[in-house]
Amino acid sequence: MAPRANWKGFLRLSLVTCPVALYPATSESEKISFNQLNRQTGHRIKYLKVDADTGDEVPNEDIVKGYELEKGQFIEVTKEELEELALESTRTIEIDEFVDKVDIDPRYLIRPYYLRPDGKVGHDAFAVIRETIREMNKVAIGRVVLTNREHIIALEAMDKGLVGTLLRYPYEVRSEQEYFDEIQDVKVTKDMLDLAKHIVNQKAGNFDPEKFEDHYESALVELINQKRAGKVIRPKERPKGENVVDLMEALRRSVGKEAPSEAATAKKKSEKKPRKAAAGQKEMLMPIAGKKQAKMTTTAKPRRRSA
């Protein structure tokens, strides 16, 4: 079962329209998350919405949005007033133009979504739009309203559906000159560049997400398992960085370091794809029926342990 749609409406290319649904293409729910606890009691911390002046708790129905004009002076905006804005993109993704993918600056990319037909009707129109985008090898640019904000969305064909990536507006992207102006102009010699290129060639490969492991997540799993087993947690020695005195010598040593031996090459070919879960994670994290997020399960009531 696919997750619940974040948005439902219509996709329109000129006079061709079809009902569609928008789904999140990524998830972080499988990552380990922590609760905040009272160190003294071990109880969870609860957050309340309170009046900043009186300290009284305020029920949700009495909370409205406000824009601060000056310190302590607000203009209230109600939910009904926001809905009255009634932008066309609230219910329809209108394709405005088609562009080359290479023209989209990666700094403008926010997050991806999956787009598919909503219901049993409109599959023919959806297929026409999808195949047009695919055959033209273009990215369709439109607009969509999510979480009360209008976003630019870039649509690409993927398999039988579309991938829509939200894009930032120009005012949301900071100028690189704010950070790069003070970088010194350095002359890189051909010898240095040749050595660096050699290192790149030695480390060249194909992008495969399955090769990547979240080492921090694996370390969290190991830490939690050790604490659950009552083991003493000892701090590990942090690696120390070394100052590069002779850049050419460092590059030469790097070339030797990155050169793969025959044994290492044979071992790499024989290795299977890395496991997605860290060692011990399967034992600690058990799936709960109906949920993707893995939860820790214990046979007894958990007690707080200190390192």
Side-chain angles (χ1 to χ4, degrees):
M1 287 290 292
R4 187 176 63 179
N6 279 32
W7 180 93
K8 288 188 177 185
F10 297 90
L11 175 63
R12 184 162 64 204
L13 172 59
S14 189
L15 298 179
V16 180
T17 305
C18 60
V20 293
L22 200 67
Y23 299 85
T26 59
S27 171
E28 295 192 354
S29 62
E30 289 78 15
K31 288 187 174 182
I32 291 176
S33 59
F34 292 101
N35 293 306
Q36 291 186 317
L37 307 177
N38 182 337
R39 186 193 297 272
Q40 303 299 323
T41 65
H43 300 157
R44 287 184 59 181
I45 299 298
K46 181 179 179 181
Y47 289 92
L48 302 176
K49 296 179 180 179
V50 300
D51 188 298
D53 291 336
T54 67
D56 297 332
E57 185 176 356
V58 182
N60 286 334
E61 59 268 22
D62 290 338
I63 298 177
V64 296
K65 295 182 182 293
Y67 177 79
E68 189 172 22
L69 289 176
E70 299 176 5
K71 185 68 174 178
Q73 182 181 356
F74 299 89
I75 290 182
E76 293 184 6
V77 180
T78 66
K79 180 181 178 182
E80 292 73 23
E81 288 170 335
L82 291 173
E83 292 175 349
E84 281 296 318
L85 293 176
L87 294 172
E88 178 68 16
S89 51
T90 302
R91 292 293 299 158
T92 302
I93 299 176
E94 176 80 40
I95 296 178
D96 296 323
E97 62 178 345
F98 292 86
V99 302
D100 293 328
K101 187 174 182 178
V102 294
D103 291 340
I104 301 177
D105 189 322
R107 292 176 296 176
Y108 285 80
L109 305 178
I110 301 179
R111 72 181 67 89
Y113 288 87
Y114 293 135
L115 199 70
R116 72 177 190 186
D118 184 30
K120 297 181 180 180
V121 299
H123 286 251
D124 291 345
F126 182 87
V128 169
I129 297 173
R130 179 196 65 214
E131 291 310 306
T132 301
I133 295 173
R134 194 195 309 274
E135 290 297 320
M136 297 295 291
N137 195 25
K138 295 285 188 178
V139 177
I141 303 296
R143 287 159 289 117
V144 63
V145 171
L146 289 173
T147 60
N148 296 324
R149 288 280 185 173
E150 185 178 58
H151 299 271
I152 309 167
I153 188 167
L155 301 173
E156 300 176 71
M158 174 180 278
D159 196 19
K160 295 190 295 183
L162 292 170
V163 173
T165 304
L166 297 190
L167 304 179
R168 294 181 173 89
Y169 288 98
Y171 68 84
E172 297 179 282
V173 178
R174 293 176 175 173
S175 170
E176 70 278 7
Q177 299 304 325
E178 299 179 37
Y179 309 94
F180 296 165
D181 275 350
E182 296 181 6
I183 297 178
Q184 298 178 12
D185 291 325
V186 177
K187 177 65 175 179
V188 179
T189 66
K190 184 179 183 302
D191 289 342
M192 289 183 176
L193 201 56
D194 287 342
L195 285 171
K197 288 179 180 179
H198 190 66
I199 296 171
V200 172
N201 289 330
Q202 288 176 327
K203 298 174 76 69
N206 297 318
F207 179 74
D208 180 7
E210 295 293 333
K211 294 189 299 185
F212 302 115
E213 178 187 349
D214 188 338
H215 295 290
Y216 183 76
E217 189 79 1
S218 301
L220 279 179
V221 171
E222 181 182 0
L223 173 65
I224 294 172
N225 278 332
Q226 288 180 349
K227 291 182 73 70
R228 190 172 69 166
K231 295 182 179 179
V232 177
I233 308 300
R234 294 184 174 87
K236 297 179 181 178
E237 185 176 352
R238 294 181 179 272
K240 297 179 180 179
E242 298 180 0
N243 291 328
V244 178
V245 178
D246 189 333
L247 187 55
M248 278 296 294
E249 179 60 24
L251 286 168
R252 291 193 185 98
R253 289 170 57 190
S254 296
V255 169
K257 177 183 178 182
E258 297 300 337
S261 64
E262 292 183 4
T265 304
K267 180 181 178 182
K268 186 175 182 180
K269 290 182 178 179
S270 65
E271 285 179 347
K272 296 181 180 179
K273 287 185 176 182
R275 293 173 296 173
K276 291 185 179 180
Q281 188 169 8
K282 184 176 180 181
E283 290 74 16
M284 186 193 78
L285 303 176
M286 303 295 291
I288 297 177
K291 292 185 178 181
K292 280 190 175 181
Q293 184 176 7
K295 300 280 188 177
M296 283 186 293
T297 58
T298 55
T299 55
K301 186 176 180 181
R303 293 181 297 174
R304 293 183 297 114
R305 299 181 184 275
S306 58

